[in-house]
């Protein structure tokens, strides 16, 4: 299982060299730290899916002594591990460039990443290879472009809900969000496993 | 052990192998207790399938020319009387052909040769 | 005799194509050649044996185990070689080994290095720069380096030059000297099989026509040639398919004894090659 997670590093050896400049670019552009954490986390897992959309990769992995359950588990666990590593590296980069950030930024960036993963990972196995990158791109634009206005809309017009949220103590809010993300991620994991087990290569 | 396979021969390959091993045994080139290569090694060396050498060895075993011990390999079996007779006959045939060839060289007719044989036999 | 692969009544249906009611046994310690025209269902069958595809109905057992409960144990003992390159093409052989090797409990680095030397494979060049033959050698080096008991290959010789094909066959024969090993491979180059196959499984339009030892095939099947007048409704029964020409008929039989009994010396009986068998069998379908 660990081997499956480690293979992403071997595969993306060269790409990883661009990781630091990639983050540095966002930092210099003075992006919001939470966004930087999000983008940094996405880097490895989604590049890995770029490889996995090839049918040959699935034929290879499924011919090796791995179960389909393990292959999917490595994706979901790998995403968390790489997220933690990315957050670590990004924090160091922010320190080095003398930018301030808070634990909340990390929590928001990481939370959004997990939520985004929860929604997109199953899609990788539903759509045909070749369409996946498009799907992810659209997914990302939707998340980045459509969700905030919707949230704003709710904030302005459904004051009952926003009032409720505002009145809930912040710690509860964070715990609630964490719980929702956790549930979404776990459900997504289960769904992807089921889809993947039925696939033919 | 030398075996030569004729791929274009009408005779099946396993038969070519049995016949050639048989003649090696009858000619005394392979002696009782001699180890013969495993069927898998032989298949590899002859570039033929394992099932072909397997069949050849099975036929040789049935005919009593060889025996196999699991895990040890195959060996040339002790020959029974009939086989020894067959073997001797083969030797005699060879020697007689030489006698005939020698006789021809000095123009000895077959009848004269037979007379000679009779005289020698009565001694 | 022990079966390493066992398919029982396996059916898999696709739109416009299906593999139906396959009963196939692959015997331990032997080489089974899997033949059939393009599109007969060979790759589908191999994918089901590798659990890349699941059959609609029927049972598949490898080493007597099934995939539901023993997937890892089974694949641990299989070496696979596919027609195309399945390895990450941007990577070099060293990195591919780094990804593949840890997957196997019994990976043998020394053995792998030996094959790399023997095949003269570069370790630091991307796989995509390899020729077809070199890619094949690389796949083979990987397939043979974890002490697999069963080697499954889908069209391993397709696109290879005759010299390398011969080298490959030698290598496989070397592999078979250990009697616990088994090879199952599909091909449509039937001359490859004359040299190393012990059993022939013949698939046609998704159905298994036969799975027999090469001796049984040679003893049952034959080409028969004779005068057209000899044929009538009764005598034709002895044949699988008949080609008629003004000069006489040529037919394939799967029962040489019956032909001998019916025609005696009035016909010529010749050995049928696998190609002959495939060709006449195909004819049978368009004929019926």
């Amino acid at each position: 299982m660990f081997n499956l997670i480690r293979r992403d590093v071997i595969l993306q050896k060269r790409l990883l060299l661009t990781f630091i400049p990639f983050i540095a670019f966002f930092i210099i552009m003075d992006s919001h730290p939470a966004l930087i954490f999000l983008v940094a986390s996405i880097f490895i897992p989604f590049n890995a899916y770029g490889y996995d959309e090839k049918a040959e990769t699935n034929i290879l992995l499924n011919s090796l002594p791995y179960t389909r359950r393990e292959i999917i588990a490595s994706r979901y666990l790998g995403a968390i591990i790489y997220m933690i590593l990315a957050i670590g590296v990004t924090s160091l980069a922010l320190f080095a460039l003398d930018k301030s950030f808070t634990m909340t930024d990390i929590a928001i960036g990481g939370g959004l990443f997990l939520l985004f993963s929860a929604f997109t990972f199953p899609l990788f196995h539903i759509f045909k290879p070749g369409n996946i990158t498009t799907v992810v791109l659209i997914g990302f634009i939707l998340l980045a472009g459509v969700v905030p206005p919707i949230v704003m809309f709710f904030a302005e017009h459904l004051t009952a809900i926003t009032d409720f949220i505002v009145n809930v103590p912040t710690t509860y809010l964070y715990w609630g969000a964490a719980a929702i993300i956790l549930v979404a991620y776990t459900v997504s994991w289960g769904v992807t496993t089921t889809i993947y087990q039925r696939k033919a290569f | 052990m030398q075996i030569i396979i004729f791929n274009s021969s009408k005779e099946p390959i396993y038969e070519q192998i049995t016949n050639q091993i048989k003649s090696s045994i009858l000619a005394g080139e392979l002696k009782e207790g001699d180890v013969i290569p495993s069927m898998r090694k032989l298949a590899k060396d002859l570039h033929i399938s394992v099932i072909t050498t397997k069949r050849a060895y099975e036929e040789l075993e049935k005919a009593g020319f060889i025996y196999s011990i699991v895990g040890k390999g195959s060996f040339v079996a002790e020959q029974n009387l009939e086989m020894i007779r067959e073997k001797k006959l083969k030797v005699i045939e060879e020697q007689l052909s030489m006698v005939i060839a020698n006789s021809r060289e000095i123009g000895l007719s077959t009848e004269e040769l037979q007379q000679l044989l009779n005289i020698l036999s009565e001694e | 005799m022990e079966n390493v692969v066992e398919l029982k009544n396996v059916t898999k249906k696709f739109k416009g194509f299906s593999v139906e009611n396959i009963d196939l046994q692959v015997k331990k310690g032997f080489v089974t050649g899997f033949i059939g025209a393009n599109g007969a269902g060979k790759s589908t069958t191999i994918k089901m044996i590798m659990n890349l595809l699941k059959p609609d109905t029927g049972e598949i057992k490898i080493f007597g185990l099934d995939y539901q409960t023993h997937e890892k144990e089974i694949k641990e003992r299989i070496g696979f070689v596919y027609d195309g390159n399945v390895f990450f093409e941007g990577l070099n052989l060293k990195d591919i080994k780094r990804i593949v090797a840890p997957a196997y409990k019994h990976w043998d680095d020394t053995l792998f290095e030996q094959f790399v030397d023997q095949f003269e494979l570069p370790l630091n060049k991307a796989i995509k720069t390899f020729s077809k033959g070199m890619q094949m050698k690389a796949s083979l080096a990987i397939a043979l380096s974890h002490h697999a008991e069963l080697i499954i290959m889908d069209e391993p010789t397709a696109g290879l030059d005759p010299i390398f094909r011969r080298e490959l066959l030698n290598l496989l024969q070397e592999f078979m000297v250990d009697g616990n090993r088994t090879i199952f491979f599909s091909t449509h180059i039937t001359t490859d099989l004359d040299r190393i196959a012990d059993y022939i499984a013949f698939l046609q339009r998704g159905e298994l026509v036969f799975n027999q030892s090469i001796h049984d095939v040679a003893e049952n099947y034959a080409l028969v040639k004779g005068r057209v007048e000899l044929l009538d409704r009764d005598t034709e029964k002895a044949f699988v398919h008949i080609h008629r020409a003004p000069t006489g008929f040529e037919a394939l039989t799967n029962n040489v004894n019956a032909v001998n009994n019916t025609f005696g010396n009035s016909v010529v009986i010749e050995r049928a090659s696998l190609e002959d068998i495939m060709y006449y069998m195909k004819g049978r379908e368009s004929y019926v």
Side-chain angles (χ1 to χ4, degrees), chain A residues 3 6-7 10-11 13 51 56-60 62-68 70 197 199-201, chain C residues 47 50-54 72 75-76 80 82 85-88 91 95 98-100 102-104:
Chain A
N3 304 319
R6 206 181 57 141
R7 96 193 150 92
I10 300 173
L11 269 172
K13 249 189 333 195
Y51 279 95
E56 293 81 33
T57 306
N58 284 301
I59 290 177
L60 172 65
N62 281 284
S63 299
L64 294 172
Y66 295 121
T67 61
R68 296 188 178 199
E70 283 177 322
Q197 270 173 338
K199 272 186 106 167
F201 301 110
Chain C
K47 282 182 172 181
M50 287 303 296
N51 201 31
L52 298 174
L53 269 181
K54 285 172 192 175
K72 290 179 81 156
K75 286 179 177 168
E76 192 76 57
F80 56 88
Y82 298 124
N85 173 44
V86 293
F87 301 105
F88 309 95
L91 294 188
D95 283 337
R98 261 195 222 146
I99 289 177
V100 172
Y104 292 107

Side-chain angles (χ1 to χ4, degrees), chain A residues 20-38:
Chain A
I20 302 283
F22 181 74
I23 300 170
F25 172 76
F26 279 90
I27 296 175
I28 291 160
M29 291 300 285
D30 241 353
S31 305
H32 192 280
L35 178 71
I36 300 173
F37 284 120
L38 170 64

Side-chain angles (χ1 to χ4, degrees), chain B residues 58-93:
Chain B
E58 277 167 4
E59 307 247 317
L60 285 168
E61 263 177 56
K62 238 191 310 185
F65 283 93
I66 64 167
Y67 63 95
S68 299
I69 300 173
V70 179
K72 282 202 162 172
S74 300
F75 306 88
V76 176
E78 183 188 349
Q79 304 308 308
N80 62 33
L81 283 175
E82 204 179 47
M83 265 168 21
I84 291 168
R85 199 182 133 77
E86 211 183 313
K87 180 172 150 185
K88 289 266 180 203
L89 262 173
K90 218 175 162 165
V91 176
I92 293 168
E93 261 175 41

Side-chain angles (χ1 to χ4, degrees), chain A residues 166-188:
Chain A
V166 169
N167 288 328
V168 172
T170 3
T171 36
Y172 283 181
L173 206 61
Y174 282 138
W175 282 114
I180 289 170
I181 288 167
L182 202 70
V183 169
Y185 202 69
T186 318
V187 169
S188 165

Side-chain angles (χ1 to χ4, degrees), chain C residues 148-168:
Chain C
E149 292 157 55
L150 169 64
I151 299 290
I152 292 178
M153 298 185 288
D154 193 4
E155 300 281 354
T157 54
L160 298 181
D161 65 68
I163 295 167
F164 181 61
R165 282 224 314 273
R166 182 94 45 118
E167 283 171 11
L168 171 69

Side-chain angles (χ1 to χ4, degrees), chain A residues 33-135:
Chain A
L35 178 71
I36 300 173
F37 284 120
L38 170 64
V39 171
S41 306
I42 284 175
F43 199 82
I44 296 179
F46 282 82
N47 266 324
Y49 262 112
Y51 279 95
D52 282 6
E53 70 174 300
K54 294 195 180 85
E56 293 81 33
T57 306
N58 284 301
I59 290 177
L60 172 65
L61 292 183
N62 281 284
S63 299
L64 294 172
Y66 295 121
T67 61
R68 296 188 178 199
R69 191 176 287 277
E70 283 177 322
I71 292 167
I72 294 305
S74 79
R75 282 272 150 267
Y76 277 82
L77 290 177
I80 294 175
I81 292 171
Y82 288 119
M83 178 190 78
I84 293 169
L85 289 176
I87 286 173
V89 172
T90 310
S91 306
L92 287 176
L94 286 167
F95 264 130
L97 292 169
D98 214 18
K99 302 275 177 185
S100 66
F101 64 98
T102 60
M103 281 307 280
T104 319
D105 294 328
I106 293 180
I108 292 173
L112 282 177
F113 164 72
L114 292 178
L115 208 57
F116 180 57
S117 303
F119 283 109
T120 46
F121 282 4
L123 298 181
F124 279 107
H125 300 286
I126 294 172
F127 292 95
K128 282 207 173 73
N131 300 337
I132 290 164
T133 328
T134 329
V135 170

Side-chain angles (χ1 to χ4, degrees), chain C residues 204 209 240-241 254 279-288:
Chain C
Q204 188 174 48
V209 180
V240 175
H241 183 68
N254 58 4
Y279 175 70
Y280 278 89
M281 285 291 201
K282 192 166 189 319
R284 177 184 64 164
E285 289 197 350
S286 56
Y287 183 71
V288 173

Side-chain angles (χ1 to χ4, degrees), chain C residues 36-284:
Chain C
N38 289 329
K42 296 189 302 268
S43 289
T44 303
T45 308
I46 286 185
K47 282 182 172 181
M48 286 195 285
I49 293 174
M50 287 303 296
N51 201 31
L52 298 174
L53 269 181
K54 285 172 192 175
D56 298 338
T57 56
E59 193 184 77
I60 295 179
K61 286 207 164 153
I62 319 286
F63 308 115
L65 306 168
D66 62 28
Y67 274 115
Q68 278 81 44
T69 49
H70 294 87
E71 173 142 28
K72 290 179 81 156
E73 289 90 328
I74 293 171
K75 286 179 177 168
E76 192 76 57
R77 294 157 73 184
I78 297 181
F80 56 88
V81 172
Y82 298 124
D83 186 5
N85 173 44
V86 293
F87 301 105
F88 309 95
E89 32 175 51
L91 294 188
N92 61 33
L93 198 52
K94 211 162 147 193
D95 283 337
I96 288 170
K97 190 209 84 176
R98 261 195 222 146
I99 289 177
V100 172
Y104 292 107
K105 281 192 199 116
H106 303 292
W107 180 269
D108 188 336
D109 250 346
T110 331
L111 201 58
F112 178 72
E113 275 158 33
Q114 216 174 296
F115 284 123
V116 168
D117 276 353
Q118 190 185 338
F119 299 160
E120 298 172 339
L121 292 168
L123 281 170
N124 294 316
K125 269 193 188 160
I127 282 271
K128 65 179 167 205
T129 65
F130 283 23
S131 67
K132 174 91 183 160
M134 267 161 61
Q135 280 186 7
M136 163 73 216
K137 286 179 187 178
S139 309
L140 205 63
I142 288 171
L144 295 177
S145 293
H146 60 94
H147 301 284
E149 292 157 55
L150 169 64
I151 299 290
I152 292 178
M153 298 185 288
D154 193 4
E155 300 281 354
T157 54
L160 298 181
D161 65 68
I163 295 167
F164 181 61
R165 282 224 314 273
R166 182 94 45 118
E167 283 171 11
L168 171 69
L169 297 182
N170 287 344
L171 195 80
L172 296 179
Q173 279 193 310
E174 188 106 26
F175 177 78
M176 291 304 290
V177 170
D178 180 337
N180 289 318
R181 291 164 168 177
T182 307
I183 295 177
F184 181 70
F185 78 107
S186 71
T187 182
H188 53 244
I189 303 170
T190 52
T191 46
D192 291 342
L193 298 169
D194 292 337
R195 262 190 58 187
I196 63 161
D198 301 304
Y199 291 89
I200 304 289
F202 176 27
L203 195 68
Q204 188 174 48
R205 301 225 178 150
E207 277 175 47
L208 192 70
V209 180
F210 62 71
N211 178 20
Q212 295 180 345
S213 77
I214 50 164
H215 296 135
D216 289 340
V217 174
E219 276 160 27
N220 296 332
Y221 286 87
L223 282 184
V224 182
K225 296 174 187 175
R227 302 174 65 83
V228 182
E229 301 93 83
L230 292 169
L231 297 173
D232 60 42
R233 210 162 271 182
D234 262 349
T235 55
E236 278 177 15
K237 279 181 189 158
F239 301 116
V240 175
H241 183 68
I242 304 169
H243 279 198
R244 291 157 208 268
T247 48
F249 77 87
E250 262 187 63
L252 179 77
T253 179
N254 58 4
N255 191 342
V256 178
N257 287 335
V259 170
N260 267 325
N261 291 339
T262 315
F263 298 101
N265 284 328
S266 57
V267 290
V268 176
I269 300 178
E270 272 184 348
R271 189 181 162 270
S273 68
L274 290 172
E275 238 174 77
D276 292 328
I277 295 172
M278 284 170 74
Y279 175 70
Y280 278 89
M281 285 291 201
K282 192 166 189 319
R284 177 184 64 164

